[in-house]
Amino acid sequence: MKTFFYAILTIFSLANIKAQAQGKISGQITDDKSKIVEFATITLLNAKDSSLVKGALGDVNGNFEFEKVNYGTYIVNISQLGYKKYYTPKFIISSETPNIKLTKLVLVEASNELGEVQVTAKKPFIEQQIDKTVVNVENSIVSAGNTAIEVLEKSPGVTVDKDGNISLKGKQNVMVMLDGKPTYMSASDLANMLRNMQASQLDKIEIMTNPPAKYDAAGNAGVINIRLKKNQNTGLNGSANIGLGYGFYKSLPKESAGLNLNYRNGKVNVFGNFSANDRKSFQIQSINRKFFENGNVISGFDQVGNNDRRNNSFSYKMGADYFLDKKNTIGFLFNGMNGNWNEDLNNETLIKNSMAQLDTTSRTLGSINNSWGNYSTNLNFKHVIDSTGREITADLDYARYNADNSMKYRTSKYDIQNILREKRNEDGLTGSKINIYSFKTDLVYPINKTSKFEAGLKTSYVHSGNDMRFDFLVGDANTPINDPTRTRDFVYKENINAGYLNYSKEFKKISMQLGLRVENTNGQGTLLGKELLKRNYTNLFPSVFFRQKLSKDHQLGYSFSRRIDRPSYEDLNPFLFFLDPYTFQRGNELLQPQYTNAFEVSHTFKDAITTTVNFSRTNGIMTEILEQNNTLKTTNVTKINIGYVENLGISFSVPVPITKWWFSNTYLNLYNNHYVGDIPKTVIASDGTSSTVLQPLDARATTYQVNMTHQFTLPKKYSLELSGWYMSPFVEGQLAGRPMGAMSFGIQKKLMKDKATLKLNVNDVFWSNQFRGSFIFNDIDVQVNNKWESRVIRLNFSYRFGNSKVAAARQRKTGLEDEKGRVKSGGN
């Protein structure tokens, strides 16, 4: 009994000791100017051997706390970007002092000065990361004063054609995103927006050729994510820039200005940026066409068009984050852009007979006036479950796109004696209003230190309304007579519901990521109130990623993903768009989605030099084709689905510091595109009846593309940059393109204690960037040459002001993941 009594007493004594053998540590962190240091990293270490006990993250008020700390002797380490590391003296937690509040936790700003030499860490213009290629826009001299589309053109693997269509590694249908959300625009409208967006608004461009399941499945070529600047500093700070550019041909001015502001203090972060530009430019386009009958040339068209353009726009971004507590944050974001673009057309067509002799001259004078506005609003919420990285986020989005377009065309036909024989005058109006609603929620759930689970749901709804009216102006009074073939009202509604699961696991030398995404699509199109098309389908999109560490310097990566590209809303629109009396463009309501299976194997040497081998096959490829009516002498441009395209390629990314003052980055992509399918042709018999025959297409070409950037750091805070790109002949369906390329140069000077920068650059020094291509297929023979004002000299001045202390930024991605990339809402 006595033994039992002592045993019970011992158990209660041990339990009491255990309950009392834990304490608490807290503190608040400031800097040497008595300002709060937010979101610092705090680690609790054993004083005996500096082994890690616990980790914590400071809150917006600089406070931190460690609970249930066993009695013992400890030190605390505090670190934050921009400050020197700080270690506290040893302290003891015991029964006498179980709760300790550390005081005088003062961080000192890190100094990069050594004597009179200042060392500045600078990322290269092009940076290769494990899962993506990053273009650090701010670190490029030649990008100053440029537009966003001009910066894209310099990015590795990216090609921008004459109409602003973007391709990646020789593949079209790229998903372009802004701050993690798709732009929801057609190729032409996306090009218009990027032409009106200054490079100074861009922070970086992320290029992902094989994105994981958490991204929308759209985009067979991959994802290009354009991240806009968001200042991450505490207090009030920002930057301003102003630029002026002139083209060499007509000395057309290009003016730009922008302002970035950020205020962060305590629980609130408010930010915004504003920019405006006014640009004049021109384009020269020549088209040579031949029309055949029974294999013989019956007519030829030699067409030259001179277009003068003026774009002006104003863009703005406003947002706020409110940190409710350490675990919950709510935010608001608004993006907007308004603009106008005007284009004056002067088009002359020489119409020749079968003997190549001049028969008729047609001159078309036109004017296009387009006003547009793009707006998007995002409400977001983030809940941190615990300190291991487990969190839930939710986003509610609304976007609206408006565009109103008025067109005037005046066509006159003259005979070989230059006598007026015929007039054709017409006016047109088009309008587009697109509303997009989206909700998504994501869960990130680390299971342990080596594995993580992710899941998410999303639903979106799109309402796209498009109307068009064209009138012929008849008689001396120019009485409008409606053209019913070009007066339409088309409405497209679409709902997409999606969910995904993602699991990642790290082993000793291998890491993997397995993902599965499911998307359900429901679409309906009506023309003049009558149902024209209906789409309901559900697809699975798996993705697999493996990375194997062979040694300290060598890594291998393997990936597979399945993706989808849905037709853009305008491509489904059956409107007939008038370009000139002989050239039309029309949508295709029968257009179906295309599906891509993509594989990649990559090798990385010393986390820098990367070699990637890729293969993809896209079934039902949406291809732009030309259709000709040899009787009416008209050419029609439209999109159809054909068999498939296979893309096989290898790419090399080689960032090399040649000397301490000379950094070089080279990207080489070699690929082969092979298009196979059947193209329909309408045949008109002698009795006037028509029938459709299929003509086989089998086109392939091996193409290489090179991007090079050389950056030179010079004394007295000068730096130089020389960059260039080149693409050899290429094939896209019926189109065979000729080589393209350009070289650019820039010089930079740091001023005013490095807060100001003056940049002078010349884009396309030799004015070599032009598009030349041909459509030669059966009885189609069309040659195209397009040249624009790409050679421009620019002077840009920027100034940074305010607090320079960096706080951890809140990264978030909104819910508009796919639909924006399919909207047509601006100008050309």
Side-chain angles (χ1 to χ4, degrees):
M1 187 71 179
K2 189 176 182 180
T3 304
F4 176 75
F5 173 76
Y6 279 116
I8 296 296
L9 181 62
T10 301
I11 292 172
F12 275 100
S13 298
L14 290 173
N16 184 59
I17 291 172
K18 184 174 181 182
Q20 298 298 322
Q22 290 184 330
K24 183 173 71 171
I25 303 168
S26 62
Q28 185 181 39
I29 305 164
T30 61
D31 65 9
D32 51 354
K33 294 184 177 63
S34 300
K35 292 184 178 180
I36 290 171
V37 177
E38 303 176 356
F39 305 111
T41 301
I42 304 100
T43 52
L44 181 64
L45 309 175
N46 277 314
K48 182 179 180 180
D49 56 6
S50 296
S51 60
L52 177 65
V53 179
K54 285 187 177 182
L57 188 69
D59 63 16
V60 294
N61 297 313
N63 296 314
F64 70 92
E65 186 176 86
F66 294 106
E67 295 182 318
K68 297 181 180 180
V69 180
N70 294 334
Y71 289 170
T73 304
Y74 300 97
I75 58 175
V76 165
N77 167 235
I78 304 171
S79 62
Q80 177 59 291
L81 188 64
Y83 295 92
K84 293 181 179 179
K85 284 188 176 182
Y86 177 83
Y87 291 89
T88 66
K90 295 180 182 179
F91 57 90
I92 300 174
I93 294 183
S94 63
S95 57
E96 290 78 18
T97 55
N99 298 323
I100 291 184
K101 183 174 179 65
L102 300 174
T103 58
K104 298 181 179 179
L105 303 178
V106 179
L107 301 188
V108 178
E109 288 189 50
S111 175
N112 291 327
E113 294 186 357
L114 181 61
E116 295 183 357
V117 179
Q118 187 174 31
V119 180
T120 304
K122 180 182 177 182
K123 293 182 179 180
F125 175 50
I126 299 172
E127 184 181 7
Q128 187 67 45
Q129 297 185 4
I130 292 177
D131 58 345
K132 57 181 171 264
T133 301
V134 179
V135 179
N136 296 298
V137 178
E138 191 173 16
N139 294 335
S140 171
I141 302 171
V142 301
S143 295
N146 278 215
T147 64
I149 202 166
E150 289 170 325
V151 177
L152 266 179
E153 197 173 46
K154 299 179 178 71
S155 302
V158 178
T159 304
V160 182
D161 71 10
K162 63 183 179 65
D163 299 317
N165 298 310
I166 299 170
S167 300
L168 180 58
K169 287 190 173 182
K171 296 186 287 184
Q172 295 180 320
N173 299 298
V174 182
M175 168 58 65
V176 178
M177 309 173 79
L178 285 179
D179 286 333
K181 64 177 182 179
T183 50
Y184 286 96
M185 298 181 185
S186 69
S188 60
D189 299 324
L190 176 62
N192 178 60
M193 186 189 72
L194 295 178
R195 286 190 185 105
N196 286 279
M197 183 180 292
Q198 299 178 37
S200 60
Q201 296 175 250
L202 275 57
D203 177 30
K204 58 187 176 182
I205 299 171
E206 299 171 337
I207 302 171
M208 292 170 278
T209 55
N210 226 0
K214 68 178 180 180
Y215 289 93
D216 283 6
N220 85 86
V223 170
I224 295 178
N225 186 23
I226 300 174
R227 292 200 174 273
L228 303 179
K229 287 182 179 178
K230 177 185 175 183
N231 204 310
Q232 302 175 11
N233 301 338
T234 58
L236 177 64
N237 44 71
S239 63
N241 68 85
I242 186 170
L244 181 65
Y246 277 93
F248 278 71
Y249 181 65
K250 292 186 177 180
S251 297
L252 300 176
K254 304 168 196 313
E255 302 159 340
S256 62
L259 177 67
N260 290 278
L261 291 173
N262 186 82
Y263 177 76
R264 184 167 189 161
N265 197 8
K267 293 187 175 183
V268 179
N269 180 35
V270 182
F271 55 92
N273 60 59
F274 313 90
S275 67
N277 71 71
D278 189 354
R279 299 172 185 268
K280 296 178 181 178
S281 62
F282 72 92
Q283 178 178 266
I284 302 173
Q285 180 172 271
S286 64
I287 304 175
N288 303 103
R289 290 180 271 190
K290 293 180 181 178
F291 295 90
F292 296 85
E293 187 176 278
N294 299 323
N296 298 315
V297 177
I298 59 173
S299 182
F301 282 30
D302 294 338
Q303 178 179 332
V304 177
N306 290 279
N307 302 346
D308 289 330
R309 296 174 174 175
R310 179 169 183 174
N311 294 352
N312 59 75
S313 67
F314 180 71
S315 63
Y316 37 95
K317 175 180 179 179
M318 295 166 282
D321 292 327
Y322 183 72
F323 303 91
L324 298 172
D325 50 42
K326 289 191 293 184
K327 292 189 174 183
N328 298 287
T329 305
I330 58 175
F332 163 79
L333 182 65
F334 178 80
N335 279 291
M337 180 180 283
N338 298 84
N340 293 275
W341 66 266
N342 303 310
E343 186 171 9
D344 293 325
L345 313 174
N346 187 345
N347 194 330
E348 182 176 83
T349 303
L350 303 180
I351 304 173
K352 299 179 180 180
N353 59 26
S354 59
M355 304 297 292
Q357 297 170 334
L358 181 63
D359 183 71
T360 307
T361 300
S362 174
R363 296 190 181 99
T364 298
L365 299 177
S367 65
I368 302 175
N369 299 288
N370 181 279
S371 60
W372 50 274
N374 304 334
Y375 316 93
S376 62
T377 303
N378 168 260
L379 296 175
N380 55 84
F381 172 75
K382 177 181 178 180
H383 172 68
V384 177
I385 299 174
D386 55 34
S387 60
T388 65
R390 297 171 181 172
E391 64 180 36
I392 298 174
T393 59
D395 290 90
L396 181 64
D397 289 89
Y398 169 71
R400 181 178 176 85
Y401 297 85
N402 296 330
D404 292 297
N405 201 354
S406 65
M407 297 159 284
K408 294 182 178 181
Y409 299 99
R410 304 294 182 260
T411 302
S412 302
K413 288 186 178 181
Y414 300 85
D415 61 18
I416 56 176
Q417 282 81 35
N418 203 32
I419 298 175
L420 180 63
R421 295 299 184 185
E422 182 182 343
K423 275 190 174 183
R424 171 173 166 164
N425 298 333
E426 51 200 310
D427 291 346
L429 294 171
T430 63
S432 176
K433 291 179 174 58
I434 301 174
N435 292 280
I436 303 170
Y437 308 85
S438 171
F439 172 77
K440 81 179 187 79
T441 181
D442 297 277
L443 168 69
V444 179
Y445 196 91
I447 300 171
N448 50 44
K449 292 182 179 180
T450 62
S451 60
K452 182 171 67 175
F453 173 77
E454 296 174 278
L457 296 172
K458 178 192 168 183
T459 183
S460 66
Y461 174 76
V462 178
H463 184 282
S464 173
N466 305 269
D467 58 76
M468 179 174 72
R469 177 187 176 92
F470 262 89
D471 293 316
F472 290 109
L473 306 182
V474 180
D476 295 334
N478 284 332
T479 303
I481 302 297
N482 181 247
D483 179 7
T485 64
R486 290 183 290 161
T487 299
R488 303 289 182 91
D489 181 12
F490 178 70
V491 176
Y492 184 72
K493 302 175 183 178
E494 185 178 74
N495 164 240
I496 299 178
N497 304 296
Y500 75 90
L501 300 173
N502 218 50
Y503 175 74
S504 58
K505 173 72 175 177
E506 292 185 6
F507 300 94
K508 186 175 182 180
K509 290 189 176 182
I510 295 178
S511 60
M512 70 172 188
Q513 180 176 288
L514 307 177
L516 179 64
R517 186 178 186 88
V518 58
E519 293 188 353
N520 167 254
T521 304
N522 306 281
Q524 181 186 38
T526 58
L527 181 64
L528 299 174
K530 296 181 180 180
E531 185 174 281
L532 183 67
L533 62 95
K534 192 170 185 178
R535 305 279 170 81
N536 302 100
Y537 51 91
T538 302
N539 301 111
L540 296 176
F541 302 98
S543 61
V544 180
F545 298 83
F546 286 94
R547 181 158 291 275
Q548 181 181 8
K549 189 169 185 178
L550 302 178
S551 64
K552 178 183 176 182
D553 295 332
H554 297 272
Q555 292 185 70
L556 283 178
Y558 317 87
S559 65
F560 163 78
S561 67
R562 183 172 187 259
R563 306 191 65 77
I564 184 176
D565 286 290
R566 301 175 181 90
S568 72
Y569 309 131
E570 187 177 81
D571 286 337
L572 292 171
N573 188 340
F575 288 5
L576 192 65
F577 294 92
F578 174 87
L579 302 178
D580 63 50
Y582 309 102
T583 310
F584 301 86
Q585 182 175 347
R586 66 174 178 86
N588 179 8
E589 68 276 12
L590 301 179
L591 205 57
Q592 298 289 329
Q594 64 183 29
Y595 297 89
T596 300
N597 293 314
F599 304 83
E600 280 191 358
V601 178
S602 63
H603 171 264
T604 304
F605 176 66
K606 290 191 173 181
D607 291 328
I609 299 176
T610 304
T611 303
T612 304
V613 178
N614 64 277
F615 173 79
S616 68
R617 177 174 171 133
T618 302
N619 294 314
I621 179 76
M622 292 182 289
T623 306
E624 192 172 83
I625 65 167
L626 294 184
E627 299 172 328
Q628 283 194 169
N629 187 317
N630 292 326
T631 303
L632 299 177
K633 309 295 190 300
T634 59
T635 301
N636 179 69
V637 182
T638 189
K639 273 189 177 180
I640 65 169
N641 297 97
I642 66 171
Y644 64 87
V645 59
E646 291 181 338
N647 176 279
L648 175 64
I650 183 171
S651 62
F652 306 90
S653 178
V654 187
V656 178
I658 298 174
T659 66
K660 291 182 180 180
W661 50 269
W662 181 2
F663 184 85
S664 170
N665 196 313
T666 301
Y667 177 86
L668 172 64
N669 182 31
L670 177 69
Y671 62 90
N672 178 275
N673 273 344
H674 185 199
Y675 288 82
V676 177
D678 294 318
I679 295 179
K681 177 187 177 182
T682 301
V683 178
I684 300 177
S686 57
D687 59 359
T689 61
S690 62
S691 60
T692 300
V693 297
L694 296 178
Q695 300 173 310
L697 172 70
D698 191 333
R700 71 161 71 221
T702 298
T703 305
Y704 67 90
Q705 183 179 356
V706 181
N707 294 71
M708 294 189 69
T709 303
H710 295 270
Q711 295 176 319
F712 305 89
T713 302
L714 305 179
K716 298 184 179 181
K717 298 184 179 180
Y718 280 96
S719 55
L720 296 176
E721 183 176 314
L722 182 66
S723 68
W725 64 275
Y726 176 82
M727 185 172 68
S728 68
F730 59 95
V731 163
E732 291 179 3
Q734 286 181 318
L735 171 65
R738 297 177 64 184
M740 301 175 65
M743 182 177 292
S744 301
F745 167 80
I747 183 170
Q748 169 182 288
K749 168 70 172 176
K750 292 283 188 179
L751 304 167
M752 304 170 68
K753 296 182 180 179
D754 291 347
K755 289 188 175 182
T757 304
L758 186 65
K759 298 179 181 181
L760 176 70
N761 61 58
V762 182
N763 269 29
D764 194 6
V765 175
F766 302 108
W767 202 22
S768 56
N769 191 13
Q770 61 179 310
F771 174 81
R772 295 171 296 167
S774 60
F775 293 83
I776 300 178
F777 182 72
N778 293 334
D779 63 346
I780 295 176
D781 187 340
V782 178
Q783 308 288 332
V784 180
N785 192 339
N786 198 325
K787 201 169 181 64
W788 54 93
E789 193 181 34
S790 56
R791 182 168 61 174
V792 178
I793 184 170
R794 292 181 173 92
L795 183 66
N796 194 79
F797 176 80
S798 61
Y799 179 75
R800 293 181 294 107
F801 55 87
N803 195 349
S804 60
K805 294 176 185 174
V806 179
R810 178 181 173 226
Q811 300 293 331
R812 65 176 187 264
K813 183 172 70 173
T814 65
L816 300 177
E817 292 296 328
D818 175 34
E819 297 79 8
K820 272 190 177 180
R822 299 164 57 213
V823 171
K824 310 210 169 193
S825 60
N828 291 321

